[in-house]
Amino acid sequence: MSAVTINENSLKDIMNSPDTTPLPAAVSVAEARPTPFLQTERGLAFAEAIGKFFRAVLPPILGIALFILLWQMVSVSGGESGLPGPAKTWESAKLLFADPFYDNGPNDKGIGWNILHSLYRVGAGFGLAALVGIPLGFMIGRFQFLSGMASPIISLLRPVSPLAWLPIGLYVFKETEPASLWVIFISSIWPIILNTAAGVSRVPQDYLNVARVLNLSEWKIFTRILFPSVLPHLMTGIRLSIGVAWLVIVAAEMLTGGTGLGFWVWDEWNNLNVEHILIAIFIVGIVGLLLEQVLVMIANRFNYE
Amino acid sequence: MHSYLHIDNAKMVFDTKKGKFTALTDINLDVKQGEFIALIGHSGCGKSTLLNLVAGLTEPTQGVLLLSDKEIKGPGPERGVVFQNHSLLPWLTCFGNVYLAVERVFGAKEPKSKLKERTQAALELVGLSHAIHKHPNEISGGMKQRVGIARALAMEPKVLLLDEPFGALDALTRAGLQDELMRIVKETQATTLMVTHDVDEAVLLSDRIVMMTNGPSATIGEILEVDLPRPRDRLKLAENPAYHHLRGQVLEFLYQKHLKKAA
Ligand SMILES: Nc1ncnc2c1ncn2[C@@H]1O[C@H](COP(=O)(O)OP(=O)(O)OP(=O)(O)O)[C@@H](O)[C@H]1O
Ligand SMILES: [Mg+2]
């Protein structure tokens, strides 16, 4: 660094320091023209940070702006009966979120309630799937025989479209609430089972050798080696599974009615409130994105490599 | 002579995608209790394979291995293993990795405080007191190897199986740990099998050097008695003609009789 890089702050430091004799030398320093801020070290760092910020933020903003523009064009080209435009939808959303938790009886609840209901169903259905799927995945991964038994059934049932399970649920449970949990359960259990099993069968031989050389008990093998080693795979399974559950819940609620985002979408369609349908799509997208982000964050905590 | 470890006609064949691969054949070896054996040979000849057989991690295709007159049927805590690739569990700290072994061997008869003490002592021995709460991905390759050594030593095994334990260490640390190893082995009377690529290390540490021919179908080529008096001092050995003679013999075996064909 050259000796000239003295900015205002460091000048002040020099002036205020008790060692500085406030006479000739200091005066001459004060008279020297300070280097322009952007050429100082801090200035350069600042410029760099700004540049980085723009490179990271500019493309998404541009993308979103373009998307809104396209939306506007589509809505304008539709004329009177076209899709509501961004501005109109925004106004409607502001109204909707002004009071998200009102409750006027069973079929008229605030948007907040509907979101919470959908989230609750995803949580409950997924929780059941995890409760059953994780142990099952461990056993299938650990025992070749079980894997052989389970694989034809899993291969057969996994590609079935989630909603095809709904009638079975309705028939068995005679009620819509457990039926929609059942649909979430059955459609989100496969990623959990498969990823857990894959994780177990892929525990590095080195770690198992350590277990054998140390002669660890089955319990210690599970808690110290199998479980931590499978955890990243398990997290992937959970992420996929919650993703599927969130995809499915909206569709299931459209059919079962009552509460929830899916029900709300269908209800607003019956009211021909297209703005609300658009808002619902954004809500579903944003909540799904948030779920995914939280799970990725948790998963990264368990990454040891 | 009564032998502690007895390997009789062991053969190891691996099933590979390209068919059968004979790694080891006609392995015969008798090791006395407390003896220090160095295994030396070119890369890929089957040293780790032989060590794994003694560890009980794999079973020979043919032949038997006996340890104090009992057939080796699997691993056991009386055999401490230092793996070539250190094999630390990445989700445990250095302390946790060593503690796991200590707990297994001494957990039934000692209180927790004593187990922690043992763990700390083992890590101190390999000079890692400062990294005790770090995870394996936060320490260097040499440090990982040292944790692996600490884990094996902390079990106070009757048999120590070391697969190139000092491979990733600088000369100075290496010399320090070699001295430590000599002291520990003398103290605990552990029977030791150590794979090494380092001729000086083999001569310095061992009672006998087992030299292996190149694979496939590798076997024991020659066994060299190292009759240098103990305790051995690396500086004094440097002036000892017997030491240089032994060194020369190993080098001759490796580079004259069994020159590795350029692959
Ligand atoms: N599980 C296995 N399956 C098939 N082949 C194997 C297996 N393990 C080892 N081999 C083969 O056996 C031979 C000996 O391997 P080994 O690891 O024992 O060599 P090494 O002497 O320890 O070599 P290095 O000094 O490089 O560690 C090699 O050719 C290797 O490819
Ligand atoms: Mg090896």
Side-chain angles (χ1 to χ4, degrees):
Chain A
M1 267 200 53
S2 74
V4 226
T5 49
I6 297 175
N7 58 26
E8 280 169 302
N9 271 340
S10 53
L11 254 183
K12 265 186 216 144
D13 287 343
I14 295 172
M15 302 293 278
N16 293 339
S17 109
D19 297 340
T20 316
T21 41
L23 282 171
V27 171
S28 77
V29 171
E31 276 166 1
R33 267 183 55 201
T35 326
F37 177 65
L38 281 182
Q39 283 169 30
T40 63
E41 197 174 350
R42 272 177 49 216
L44 285 176
F46 179 71
E48 162 120 0
I50 296 266
K52 230 188 198 161
F53 178 74
F54 273 110
R55 274 194 300 277
V57 165
L58 207 58
I61 287 186
L62 249 149
I64 292 171
L66 199 68
F67 174 78
I68 292 176
L69 189 74
L70 266 171
W71 178 9
Q72 177 69 25
M73 276 160 57
V74 169
S75 100
V76 166
S77 71
E80 266 306 290
S81 62
L83 272 181
K88 207 171 155 206
T89 310
W90 178 245
E91 285 309 314
S92 175
K94 278 205 295 205
L95 246 135
L96 196 63
F97 279 97
D99 183 13
F101 289 108
Y102 73 84
D103 189 346
N104 295 340
N107 279 341
D108 188 14
K109 287 197 166 83
I111 182 70
W113 287 123
N114 284 313
I115 295 178
L116 286 184
H117 272 285
S118 294
L119 277 177
Y120 154 75
R121 288 194 187 113
V122 163
F126 160 78
L128 286 175
L131 223 59
V132 177
I134 294 174
L136 213 60
F138 267 99
M139 291 195 303
I140 289 175
R142 192 108 167 98
F143 304 108
Q144 196 66 44
F145 189 81
L146 278 182
S147 158
M149 273 172 63
S151 91
I153 302 172
I154 295 179
S155 325
L156 183 78
L157 297 186
R158 194 169 61 106
V160 173
S161 164
L163 290 186
W165 295 105
L166 186 59
I168 306 264
L170 287 169
Y171 179 75
V172 172
F173 299 109
K174 316 280 190 241
E175 262 184 84
T176 55
E177 191 60 30
S180 43
L181 292 190
W182 154 254
V183 173
I184 300 296
F185 168 82
I186 197 76
S187 50
S188 63
I189 199 170
W190 311 119
I192 296 191
I193 295 183
L194 292 176
N195 280 282
T196 309
V200 172
S201 61
R202 247 175 261 161
V203 174
Q205 189 59 44
D206 286 348
Y207 300 159
L208 295 177
N209 280 347
V210 171
R212 292 180 60 201
V213 164
L214 298 186
N215 200 5
L216 297 179
S217 62
E218 273 295 321
W219 174 246
K220 274 271 144 78
I221 293 182
F222 179 77
T223 56
R224 295 297 142 86
I225 296 185
L226 281 187
F227 190 72
S229 171
V230 171
L231 208 50
H233 294 266
L234 183 57
M235 283 309 299
T236 308
I238 289 177
R239 236 176 66 212
L240 292 174
S241 153
I242 289 191
V244 171
W246 189 243
L247 280 182
V248 170
I249 190 63
V250 176
E253 285 169 346
M254 277 185 172
L255 295 173
T256 57
T259 48
L261 271 175
F263 159 73
W264 190 68
V265 171
W266 200 245
D267 201 37
E268 298 300 327
W269 165 242
N270 288 332
N271 299 338
L272 274 180
N273 190 338
V274 185
E275 286 112 75
H276 280 184
I277 296 180
L278 290 175
I279 293 167
I281 289 174
F282 280 112
I283 293 174
V284 171
I286 289 168
V287 173
L289 187 72
L290 289 179
L291 278 178
E292 169 88 9
Q293 288 305 312
V294 170
L295 288 169
V296 167
M297 253 169 55
I298 297 175
N300 284 341
R301 254 197 76 3
F302 294 114
N303 207 346
Y304 300 96
E305 300 309 328
Chain B
M1 177 193 76
H2 185 75
S3 71
Y4 181 58
L5 171 67
H6 175 74
I7 305 177
D8 187 22
N9 236 332
K11 178 178 186 142
M12 189 71 207
V13 181
F14 288 111
D15 276 320
T16 65
K17 283 190 194 101
K18 286 188 211 147
K20 300 222 177 281
F21 177 84
T22 308
L24 296 174
T25 186
D26 300 321
I27 303 286
N28 291 292
L29 185 65
D30 279 289
V31 182
K32 281 176 290 197
Q33 186 148 24
E35 204 176 7
F36 196 121
I37 302 283
L39 270 175
I40 204 164
H42 287 290
S43 176
C45 71
K47 306 180 292 294
S48 299
T49 305
L50 181 54
L51 216 65
N52 282 346
L53 285 176
V54 180
L57 287 169
T58 47
E59 279 180 19
T61 320
Q62 243 176 54
V64 277
L65 289 92
L66 302 179
L67 186 67
S68 61
D69 296 324
K70 279 198 289 288
E71 186 170 357
I72 295 179
K73 285 231 173 80
E78 82 285 356
R79 272 161 289 153
V81 183
V82 176
F83 295 95
Q84 187 167 13
N85 53 6
H86 50 72
S87 293
L88 300 180
L89 302 175
W91 41 83
L92 296 181
T93 59
C94 297
F95 183 91
N97 269 288
V98 178
Y99 189 81
L100 192 64
V102 171
E103 194 185 25
R104 179 62 201 160
V105 181
F106 303 103
K109 38 188 196 305
E110 288 180 7
K112 267 214 167 85
S113 59
K114 188 83 210 300
L115 301 181
K116 283 184 182 159
E117 239 168 70
R118 279 183 183 276
T119 308
Q120 238 136 20
L123 282 162
E124 206 165 298
L125 189 70
V126 294
L128 281 180
S129 305
H130 61 287
I132 204 160
H133 294 301
K134 290 202 166 136
H135 282 87
N137 62 348
E138 299 167 319
I139 59 178
S140 72
M143 288 162 85
K144 282 182 216 168
Q145 268 191 331
R146 277 143 67 193
V147 179
I149 296 168
R151 177 171 63 187
L153 291 180
M155 296 166 70
E156 295 188 352
K158 292 206 191 76
V159 181
L160 256 179
L161 304 172
L162 311 164
D163 201 343
E164 295 185 42
F166 308 139
L169 301 177
D170 64 283
L172 210 63
T173 316
R174 199 182 171 108
L177 282 174
Q178 285 167 349
D179 291 342
E180 272 313 323
L181 183 62
M182 278 196 279
R183 190 183 62 71
I184 290 163
V185 166
K186 183 167 171 249
E187 217 170 79
T188 59
Q189 288 294 305
T191 310
T192 310
L193 243 69
M194 171 161 142
V195 172
T196 177
H197 275 142
D198 184 333
V199 178
D200 292 297
E201 184 169 275
V203 180
L204 172 70
L205 295 179
S206 60
D207 299 314
R208 281 189 294 161
I209 301 176
V210 171
M211 295 179 275
M212 296 183 60
T213 63
N214 290 339
S217 300
T219 186
I220 293 174
E222 277 176 43
I223 299 183
L224 187 69
E225 291 275 347
V226 182
D227 43 10
L228 298 169
R230 288 180 191 270
R232 294 175 188 164
D233 177 319
R234 68 183 67 242
L235 293 177
K236 292 208 182 100
L237 280 184
E239 294 152 15
N240 186 337
Y243 171 80
H244 288 284
H245 180 69
L246 288 162
R247 223 177 143 266
Q249 278 180 291
V250 180
L251 284 172
E252 191 187 319
F253 176 88
L254 287 178
Y255 299 105
Q256 298 285 309
K257 296 182 199 159
H258 293 275
L259 196 67
K260 181 122 176 127
K261 287 165 225 104

